[in-house]
Amino acid sequence: MSVSALSDSDSDRNSDRKNQIAPPSDTNPPGRRRRGELTRPTAFAAIAVVFVLFMAASSAPSPLYVVYQQHWDFSATTLTTVFAVYVLGMIAALLVLGSLSDHLGRRPVLLSAIALEAASMGLFLVADSVSLLLTARLVQGVATGAAMTALGAALADLNPTHAPHRAGVVTGAAPTFGLGLGALGCGFLVEYGPHPTRLVYVLLLGGLVLAAAVVAALPETSLRRPGAARSLQPRLKVAPHLRADLLRLVPILVASWALGGLYLSLGPSVVVGLFGLSSHVVGGLVVTLLTVPACLTAIALRAWPVARTLALGAALLLTGTVVALTGVEEDSLLTAALGTVVAGVGFGASSLASFGTLARMAAPSERGELFSVAFVISYLSFSVPAVVAGIAATHTGLHETSIAYAATVALLAALALLAQWLRSRQTAARATCPQT
């Protein structure tokens, strides 16, 4: 997904300032190595696991939204607002804290993000009202946003030289895998475990304690340097010569991330309200059917040409959304599930290719700003349409809202496919045009 772009851009920045990077810990003389410090290969694997943990924690509340709604009797508008608050917190953290680990080091930022995530788990544990739930999600969003940038940078720093694409694969696959794992795992715990609104957070809190111990043992790959306070100033800017290319990617970014927002916010409610399935496992499975195919696609297509991957992603996103829409209209759970899987493949391909295109078309010095804008577009698409859908569902009903939402996503995917076709024609015309 989009975080793979972080890995690419951070790799470029790291190579540009290699004199500021700490030497690999496993090549340091034994006397200079911290006792208990992990080797670089082990540290790389540990960071990947921590990445998955953060993403699993972020999706764990999804199957619980229905439970909270039943306990506290709030509307679909409130439900999607709780979801959106998390994304807004993440966007704020990405804009403000995105480069902080470049100045303070990876370990301090990651440990702070883990502490903040643990605080959000504590708030979830004691939550007895919507206001506390909103607070917990906001804190969790800030923690996740801060962690994502530092995790992506750490993976790029620790990437083995014999496998140059490994960090990109991990950062592309870990978010969707973690989202699916968190939703499905929480669904099982809610359905079959005790204390449905507490147990999952206790387990995640335990995982975060272990993660803190692991991060404390990581080799530091970025030395302290001045400018930390100045780096907190958020900036959104795109170089003029990149704006047209970015504009062509907007439909696929909005379509894919808006679809993801629908599934993570209202997906379990659709299963209960439209298909009459009360199992929380099925509610979690709805998210998994979208995110796991996206994860596997990011791994499988990592070596494909970006243009072909983008066209495939848009086509499958369109096809899958139409099939899922047909399933909702015909009250066919199997058809809706099949459409979700196809859309998930399109989601993974389009995210991989979109940020691959951004990385390719921008110079290293332009990528940070370009990715920041792309992140904001993606996460706003992830949250704002979901809130609008929640308001619509409260007033017009879940069925009508789902149909309108899916139709809008399908239209955007069709526009993305058209934009990619036009881009391919322009590229071919430039290639055949005689040089002057």
Side-chain angles (χ1 to χ4, degrees), residues 311-322:
L312 178 68
L316 291 180
L317 195 66
L318 171 60
T319 303
T321 303
V322 170

Side-chain angles (χ1 to χ4, degrees), residues 6-45:
L6 278 172
S7 176
D8 295 336
S9 61
D10 285 323
S11 295
D12 292 325
R13 291 202 306 270
N14 291 338
S15 63
D16 290 341
R17 60 171 195 277
K18 59 184 177 182
N19 292 330
Q20 298 171 344
I21 299 297
S25 63
D26 52 349
T27 61
N28 286 348
R32 296 179 59 187
R33 187 169 176 176
R34 292 188 306 130
R35 178 174 297 182
E37 184 176 276
L38 300 177
T39 63
R40 289 173 70 87
T42 305
F44 184 91

Side-chain angles (χ1 to χ4, degrees), residues 178-207:
L179 289 172
L181 180 65
L184 187 60
C186 181
F188 271 102
L189 291 175
V190 174
E191 187 68 24
Y192 301 112
H195 310 294
T197 61
R198 303 285 186 268
L199 179 59
V200 64
Y201 302 122
V202 171
L203 295 177
L204 288 170
L205 193 55

Side-chain angles (χ1 to χ4, degrees), residues 87 91 95 236 238 243 246-247 249-258 355 358 370-385:
V87 181
I91 292 173
L95 290 176
L236 282 178
V238 177
R243 290 171 187 169
L246 177 61
L247 190 62
L249 291 174
V250 167
I252 193 66
L253 286 172
V254 175
S256 56
W257 286 84
F355 285 88
L358 293 174
L370 182 62
F371 289 146
S372 294
V373 174
F375 282 141
V376 171
I377 293 171
S378 299
Y379 289 119
L380 285 177
S381 303
F382 199 53
S383 57
V384 174

Side-chain angles (χ1 to χ4, degrees), residues 121-166:
M121 295 298 106
L123 289 171
F124 279 120
L125 278 170
V126 301
D128 57 1
S129 65
V130 173
S131 59
L132 267 179
L133 193 59
L134 285 166
T135 304
R137 283 298 269 173
L138 179 62
V139 173
Q140 186 181 37
V142 174
T144 305
M148 280 173 62
T149 55
L151 288 166
L155 284 169
D157 296 342
L158 296 165
N159 194 55
T161 55
H162 66 275
H165 300 296
R166 185 170 295 177

Side-chain angles (χ1 to χ4, degrees), residues 72-362:
W72 301 332
D73 192 29
F74 56 76
S75 66
T77 302
T78 302
L79 187 155
T80 50
T81 301
V82 171
F83 169 77
V85 160
Y86 161 81
V87 181
L88 294 178
M90 182 187 290
I91 292 173
L94 285 169
L95 290 176
V96 177
L97 306 176
S99 60
L100 190 61
S101 71
D102 291 338
H103 300 273
L104 301 183
R106 312 301 183 210
R107 269 202 319 266
V109 173
L110 284 175
L111 287 172
S112 299
I114 290 172
L116 202 57
E117 183 79 8
S120 74
M121 295 298 106
L123 289 171
F124 279 120
L125 278 170
V126 301
D128 57 1
S129 65
V130 173
S131 59
L132 267 179
L133 193 59
L134 285 166
T135 304
R137 283 298 269 173
L138 179 62
V139 173
Q140 186 181 37
V142 174
T144 305
M148 280 173 62
T149 55
L151 288 166
L155 284 169
D157 296 342
L158 296 165
N159 194 55
T161 55
H162 66 275
H165 300 296
R166 185 170 295 177
V169 172
V170 171
T171 50
T176 45
F177 177 75
L179 289 172
L181 180 65
L184 187 60
C186 181
F188 271 102
L189 291 175
V190 174
E191 187 68 24
Y192 301 112
H195 310 294
T197 61
R198 303 285 186 268
L199 179 59
V200 64
Y201 302 122
V202 171
L203 295 177
L204 288 170
L205 193 55
L208 289 167
V209 171
L210 293 176
V214 168
V215 169
L218 291 175
E220 182 54 78
T221 56
S222 180
L223 297 180
R224 286 177 178 266
R225 63 188 179 98
R230 191 166 54 252
S231 73
L232 300 179
Q233 181 179 355
R235 290 182 301 175
L236 282 178
K237 187 175 69 173
V238 177
H241 67 280
L242 298 176
R243 290 171 187 169
D245 285 328
L246 177 61
L247 190 62
R248 292 189 186 97
L249 291 174
V250 167
I252 193 66
L253 286 172
V254 175
S256 56
W257 286 84
L259 185 67
L262 173 66
Y263 274 83
L264 264 76
S265 59
L266 289 177
S269 297
V270 169
V271 170
V272 173
L274 299 186
F275 293 104
L277 299 176
S278 58
S279 171
H280 298 289
V281 175
V282 177
L285 189 60
V286 169
V287 178
T288 305
L289 286 176
L290 183 78
T291 56
V292 169
C295 168
L296 297 177
T297 301
I299 296 173
L301 302 185
R302 64 188 183 277
W304 271 38
V306 170
R308 189 197 306 175
T309 306
L310 192 61
L312 178 68
L316 291 180
L317 195 66
L318 171 60
T319 303
T321 303
V322 170
V323 172
L325 181 61
T326 302
V328 171
E329 276 287 81
E330 297 181 353
D331 197 25
S332 172
L333 183 62
L334 181 61
T335 303
L338 177 62
T340 300
V341 171
V342 174
V345 175
F347 185 17
S350 59
S351 295
L352 178 70
S354 295
F355 285 88
T357 300
L358 293 174
R360 186 180 62 177
M361 74 189 194

